[in-house]
Structures are given as C-alpha cells and as structure tokens.
Amino acid sequence: MAVVGAQGAEYVESDEMLLRVCSDKELSLAKVVEAAACDAASGTYTDDQGRLALHHVCAHAMCTAEILAATPGDRFAKDISGDAPVDLLCRNPAATAAAHESCLAGRDDRVAADYGSLLHYWALCACATPHLLAAAAARSPADRDARGLTPLHCLCSNRCVSAPLLAGLFVLEDAAAWALAGDAEGWTPLHYLCANAGAPPAAVAALAAFAP
C-alpha cells in the first residue's frame, strides 16, 4: 500500500502506521489508539485510492463507536471515487447507531450540507429504525437535497428498506407531500423503491397504498 502525506510526500509503510492498522482484517481499538499516538499527522495520510485511515474504519466490519472516536481524520474528506468516510459508514451494514452518532457528533450542519438533512442521512443508513428516523426529523428540518431527493426517496433506495421503516417515515408531517414528489429527473419514491433490488414486496405494497 502506497502511503501519501498531506503535502504529497511518500512514506515508508510500517505495521505501526494508522493506515495499515485500520485496513487490517482484525480491527483493534488498542492498536488504533497506539498508532494514532505515534504520529500526530497519521489522520491525514492517504493510500493510493485517496483514502484516510478513517475511510477504512468506516467501511470495516468491526467498526465501533469507540474505534471511530479514536481515529483522527476528516469525516467528510473525499477519496478518488468521491466517497467520504461518512458515506462508507452510511453503507456499512455492520455499523451501529452508536457508531454513526460517534462519527457525526457535533456535525449536524455539515451532514445537512452534504446530504440535505440528518433525516436524509439516516434514511440511507443500513441500521435505520423508525425511532432513529423520528429523532433525526426532530433535530433538523428536511425537504429536498440538491438533486431534488426527499428523505422518502433516500429510504426507498436503501437496500434495508422495509414496510415498518416506511410506516415510521409516513407519520412525519411532511411525508404526505413527499410521496408523489419527483426528483430532478422526475423519479418519485415509488420509482426508487421498484428499482431497489433489496426492497421486499411488503415495502412496495406499503408505499403504493400510501401514494396510490
């Protein structure tokens, strides 16, 4: 793995480097803490894909709130493919609600700037629950993002979407207006749900009943 510093300088790879520790198959809090302490700039080094150590943690099957809190790095730094650590965490089915809260703590405005709102973000998360959706809606207003997507569009594109999750979103005040809303290309939430290979028939039926 080629390792590049913030100023573009290359570094000799070692087992103690935070990037190596965070990309290992076994992720250890003790090793992360030790590696981060060895080099104050460790959170700024990237691999040949432009990924920080934090990218690797957010995509890791052993990611925890404690490890995220111990890993330095910009939660919103983009790699070569355009993914930020928070994007990888959002798609990580192993990430718990506590892990998301640890990563996003104090960053509501930045999440809203990148995703549209906290509710957009949580609607995309693999660990979404009706309670989490309601809590996110209470913390920040939500309507459409830059692409015209509502939180309902996001939930319908989530491979973990379900009838209970949709029901949890339907109780929100704005959900009725979202049901038939088209995005910038005219796609409604139902279009997204029907294109979602992970959507169960019950979810499709639930949305179709809500937005006939």
Side-chain angles (χ1 to χ4, degrees):
M1 171 171 52
V3 179
V4 181
Q7 304 303 319
E10 291 196 4
Y11 291 79
V12 176
E13 184 183 358
S14 71
D15 290 340
E16 291 73 34
M17 292 193 73
L18 186 62
L19 262 171
R20 167 60 76 95
V21 168
C22 292
S23 58
D24 278 350
K25 184 177 181 180
E26 297 294 324
L27 190 59
S28 160
L29 175 60
K31 289 183 178 180
V32 169
V33 170
E34 181 180 4
C38 286
D39 186 346
S42 59
T44 67
Y45 302 156
T46 60
D47 62 17
D48 52 6
Q49 296 302 308
R51 291 190 168 188
L52 303 165
L54 189 59
H55 280 91
H56 292 279
V57 170
C58 286
H60 205 288
M62 297 177 68
C63 173
T64 67
E66 294 77 16
I67 291 175
L68 277 169
T71 308
D74 183 353
R75 270 62 178 153
F76 299 90
K78 303 290 187 182
D79 63 14
I80 290 176
S81 65
D83 283 325
V86 292
D87 300 326
L88 300 179
L89 187 70
C90 189
R91 299 198 295 266
N92 185 351
T96 64
H100 288 279
E101 291 289 359
S102 174
C103 190
L104 302 180
R107 300 175 176 88
D108 287 10
D109 290 346
R110 183 61 189 273
V111 175
D114 278 21
Y115 280 86
S117 72
L118 279 177
L119 186 54
H120 283 81
Y121 177 86
W122 283 106
L124 289 166
C125 285
C127 69
T129 66
H131 172 74
L132 289 172
L133 295 177
R139 282 168 59 182
S140 70
D143 186 13
R144 293 173 180 263
D145 67 9
R147 296 172 296 167
L149 300 179
T150 69
L152 187 55
H153 284 94
C154 294
L155 183 59
C156 288
S157 68
N158 187 336
R159 291 184 64 83
C160 297
V161 66
S162 66
L165 280 176
L166 287 168
L169 202 60
F170 292 158
V171 302
L172 300 180
E173 183 178 351
D174 297 322
W178 296 337
L180 297 176
D183 64 10
E185 297 183 356
W187 278 45
T188 67
L190 187 58
H191 287 115
Y192 277 76
L193 192 62
C194 290
N196 183 351
V204 177
L207 181 59
F210 188 75

